[in-house]
Amino acid sequence: MIRFGIITIFPKIFDSYLKESILKRAAEKKLIGVKIHDLRDFSEDKRKKVDDRPFGGGPGMVMQIQPIIKAVEFAKSKIKSQKSKIKVILFTPSGKQFDNEIAAKLAKNYDNFILICGHYEGIDERVRKVIENSIRQPAEKISIGPYVLTGGELPAMVLIDSVSRKIPGVLGKEESLEEKRFGVGVPAYTRPAEFVYNKKKYKVPKVLLSGDHNKIKEWREKRRGR
């Protein structure tokens, strides 16, 4: 089982996505486990505040170090096995660009993830140093694309989805991994072989209907990653 602990200020965002389709079945089969931690529960502020103004001035707010570190410590304490391989991930636009290769490495090398969902102007830069130096866990900044989102919740769901599908049994059959069968981005078609719309015909490439497996393989190889 691979377990994901999510630290967020919007815990309900994950409900619908994680309780549907493939991820729901993976959780039911105990192939993955997801625990959501409300960051506000770890704030020492009476109003459960988790952000403050940036030093040096400027607009926006920065997520404070204290509640995040406390949440990470709590999430780590819930991991019972001493042999667990834990990875802490901070979602930020400045992080390493996430891709299929990274997803595969994470699925192979770790069985527990603590995902920190950033917000506002970002997370106090000292968080990563404390996690690595004092909590002694590998921590990495990750971005899911060359753009800025309002928070780290969508990136967390993207990572969970991408990593989970690498786990044997999550997709039912290992052959279900598109990247192993055809390659990422290879065009796919299904019935009908000819679709007519506004008197115009849209046909499936003839090679896919030929039954010639060598030619089909060659056709797909040429279109990998397009």
Side-chain angles (χ1 to χ4, degrees):
M1 176 187 281
I2 289 184
R3 295 178 173 86
F4 302 91
I6 307 170
I7 297 172
T8 174
I9 58 174
F10 297 114
K12 293 183 179 180
I13 282 180
F14 297 90
D15 289 350
S16 59
Y17 192 76
L18 296 175
K19 293 180 180 179
E20 298 288 345
S21 190
I22 291 172
L23 293 182
K24 178 185 177 183
R25 294 196 295 271
E28 290 173 344
K29 291 191 290 185
K30 299 189 183 303
L31 297 173
I32 67 169
V34 180
K35 179 66 176 177
I36 300 173
H37 307 287
D38 189 339
L39 183 60
R40 298 186 191 281
D41 292 341
F42 301 93
S43 174
E44 295 178 352
D45 182 78
K46 292 181 179 179
R47 296 171 294 173
K48 299 300 179 181
K49 186 178 179 181
V50 296
D51 64 329
D52 210 331
R53 291 171 294 177
F55 283 122
M61 306 289 276
V62 177
M63 296 184 75
Q64 295 174 305
I65 187 171
Q66 177 273 318
I68 294 177
I69 295 303
K70 192 174 180 180
V72 170
E73 290 177 334
F74 179 81
K76 183 184 176 183
S77 73
K78 294 301 178 180
I79 300 171
K80 304 301 181 182
S81 176
Q82 298 295 321
K83 296 181 180 180
S84 290
K85 296 179 180 179
I86 306 169
K87 179 80 165 182
V88 181
I89 293 175
L90 300 89
F91 294 108
T92 168
S94 64
K96 181 189 295 184
Q97 187 96 8
F98 186 67
D99 59 20
N100 197 55
E101 183 178 349
I102 293 176
K105 288 181 179 179
L106 291 176
K108 180 180 179 180
N109 297 326
Y110 300 94
D111 55 20
N112 275 275
F113 295 90
I114 299 174
L115 311 178
I116 303 173
C117 301
H119 265 277
Y120 313 122
E121 294 302 307
I123 298 170
D124 190 307
E125 192 65 24
R126 294 169 293 179
V127 166
R128 183 180 178 183
K129 292 181 180 179
V130 172
I131 292 171
E132 292 187 334
N133 297 338
S134 298
I135 301 179
R136 298 189 180 280
Q137 296 299 151
E140 185 172 5
K141 293 181 178 181
I142 282 183
S143 167
I144 63 166
Y147 44 80
V148 180
L149 299 171
T150 56
E153 284 73 22
L154 282 174
M157 285 187 269
V158 167
L159 184 140
I160 291 171
D161 191 303
S162 185
V163 170
S164 294
R165 64 193 301 280
K166 306 292 185 186
I167 304 169
V170 168
L171 297 180
K173 295 181 180 179
E174 191 174 357
E175 294 79 25
S176 293
L177 284 170
E178 292 90 342
E179 56 269 34
K180 285 192 174 183
R181 288 184 289 129
F182 309 140
V184 176
V186 173
Y189 300 85
T190 189
R191 293 163 182 77
E194 182 179 292
F195 178 68
V196 180
Y197 185 74
N198 284 346
K199 298 181 180 181
K200 185 174 182 178
K201 296 179 180 179
Y202 298 84
K203 298 181 179 181
V204 172
K206 289 183 179 180
V207 65
L208 299 180
L209 307 174
S210 68
D212 189 323
H213 298 295
N214 289 329
K215 288 185 178 179
I216 292 172
K217 182 179 180 181
E218 183 181 346
W219 182 89
R220 285 172 171 161
E221 287 285 350
K222 289 180 179 179
R223 287 158 179 78
R224 282 177 181 266
R226 285 190 179 182

